[in-house]
Amino acid sequence: MASLPGIGPGRAALLARLGIVTVRDLLLHFPRAYRDCRELTPLASVEPGERVSVVAEITSSRQVRLRGRQSLALITLADGTGTLQASFFGRGFLARSAFVPGRHAFFTGRVGQYNGPCLSSPEYELLEEEDLQSLRQGRILPAYPLTEGITQRMLRKWVLAALDAVAPGLAEPLPGELAERMGFPPAAEALRGVHAPDSPEAAAAARRRLIFEELLVLQTDIQRQKRLLRQENRAHTHRVGGELLRRFQAEIPFALTAAQRRAVEDILGDMAGPTPMLRLLQGDVGSGKTLVALHAAVVAADGGLQTAFMAPTELLAAQHALVLEGLLAPLGLRTVLLTGAAEGRGEAHRAAASGDAQVVVGTHALFQDRAAFHQLGLVIIDEQHRFGVAQRELLVRKGPRPDVLQMSATPIPRSLALTVFGRMDLTVMDELPPGRTPVTTRYIPQGKTAACYDHVRKQAEEGVQAYVVCPLIEDSIAKQDTRALLTHFSELSAGPLAGLRTGLLHGRLPAPEKDAVMRAFKRGEIQVLFSTTVIEVGIDVPNATLMVIENASEFGLTQLHQLRGRVGRGTRPSFCFLLGKPRTPEGRERLETLCKCSSGFDIAEADLRMRGPGELLGVRQAGLSDLRAADLIRDARLLDAARREAERLTAPDCADAGNLADSLFRPQSDAPAPA
Ligand code: ADP
Ligand code: MG
């Protein structure tokens, strides 16, 4: 580092705060954004509503005090073609500290209105004479994360010097065949492309390669460890590709999606191998995970082994039991339901212990002491994020090293961490069955509530079924909340929804009653189902295509997405209406996100962004803070691809495994110091 121009002990200490100690660190300090100076807008042609980048001189700047303690920095810019204002809400101090008249600066942001066109809180960078020159050459400049005392200009200069010193001699760590197949640029080109790109596309391609390379390095290490650790074979063997599986596949009433086929392939591959499966199946709400999991259960049954299928709620367990029975009974397999409240619990226990039942569906009752299995070969855990690690472990101990398949609709950092640390394999299903139309989601302002219920009534009269969800938390509903739900239910049933067949479902109902209500809804006897969040997970009634969520902003984002996942299961267009005025800006943002995004992966990402890194802390502690380019949430799919490649590259018979030891991302190695 000391060999780079202008880095003495003082600046070295500042750089260390950014985690930059070696030349390698410097090269792995990636830009967080780019200043695209190829298309700067002259001030004269700035239009409200557009996103623009401008370079201009600051001609005046002042601090405006607003009501409360807020203040605003308001500055005027000029570039010879015209003038423009820029405002910095809540940051009035900038008027004096940063925006000195006479200085030039780069601004990028959206043009709003504030006494005429005005850039509102743009991102900015103060410029020196030499920056102006590179800007006028129309370059794309990297914008790095900074710390006090270190400027963009310094970092740009040092990074370029480091690139010149290191890039020419940089080894190519990826196998040539892989780089070609993935369409990746060579290592040196990628490094240059991310720091000094010729186009935004080149920057994106470069970054994609670097992310992949980092994940591949991580995954090959893990795979090697796993090969060492997993020398312990399972106690039983599965019969993959047997008669039952063949009959089951012939019986499935629709074609599997490509994602489902890949997932089944992964799972059957695991079960055919000698060591127990430990796999997490991640797929958005409605992607068809249950059917995939059933393949595993049928394979187990083919080999005379039992499956325990665990769901987080009684309602969901009951529904699964019904679905599974429908598909498995024709194969001569017996499914029983074992929950704390289910009728015939004694018989279910007996059938599980004697082996009469091949599949036992249930809630956490499955791992309680009393529950015993004859020969448990497979454990399936649905909505795994609802269970604690300890609960899951208990169930797994009910058999001699059973295979374990966990399913989740939410990409959760903790499970990803597990994936990354190699305890679990991951399959991501990023596809919904064909014919689904995305759920149209709308926020309904308070004045329109009546119109909304009017719409529900009309739709119901035309044969559509609807859910009305009220924000009470299952299991912890206080008596008064239940009363509130009951009151609301009777008011709506007697008022706007009068004449419709309505039903009521909440956690406090006795199980048989819950079951009866759910069956009636499934059969279409109930048109509008009022419910708490008991229906949050898994419930599948394709004819229900309308959902109203009361006080929607009281729910978390992922929970809202799960709830919404109850509709959009049939081929008819589905709608989700969000009621209630948000009480906080975060609440409003959640609703906006939900209206905008339909993919669970986007939602999970937004959720993490909004809730901050707190949620990610578990991952940080696990040591993943070392990741430079990759983000386990954002890059889940690349992670999956990297894992597949790593498996191939670490296999004993792999002909060309590349030279990953030379990768810049390998923590123990460092780039050669520049001469
Ligand atoms: P989730 O992944 O949320 O658990 P489910 O397993 O409940 O999703 O499946 C949702 C619905 O999609 C079910 O009604 C199921 O029968 C149906 N389904 C699953 N796979 C397919 C497919 N390949 N084609 C059509 N429908 C499917
Ligand atoms: Mg499900």
Side-chain angles (χ1 to χ4, degrees), residues 72 132 196 261 282 368 452 466 484 606-607:
L72 179 84
L132 282 170
R261 265 185 280 127
Q282 225 174 52
Q368 276 156 5
C452 176
D607 205 11

Side-chain angles (χ1 to χ4, degrees), residues 15 30 138 214 254 271 313 406 420 564 588 592 600 613 646:
L15 283 172
F30 294 122
E214 177 164 50
F254 29 66
M271 294 178 83
T313 64
Q406 310 204 15
V420 166
R564 174 173 66 175
R588 180 167 49 230
E592 277 167 9

Side-chain angles (χ1 to χ4, degrees), residues 44 64 137 171 175 345 366 379 413 453 555 565 576 592 636:
V64 181
Q137 289 160 7
R345 193 160 23 136
L366 282 181
V379 171
Y453 278 111
F555 295 102
C576 177
E592 277 167 9

Side-chain angles (χ1 to χ4, degrees), residues 289-290 316 320 382-383 407 538 569:
K289 295 185 288 294
T290 319
L316 183 53
H320 275 326
D382 197 14
E383 310 287 349
M407 302 194 279
R569 296 186 158 246

Side-chain angles (χ1 to χ4, degrees), residues 254-257 260 284-291 433-434 436 538 540 542 569:
F254 29 66
L256 295 190
T257 65
Q260 282 175 316
D284 207 347
V285 182
S287 58
K289 295 185 288 294
T290 319
L291 194 61
R436 300 267 176 86
D540 185 37
R569 296 186 158 246

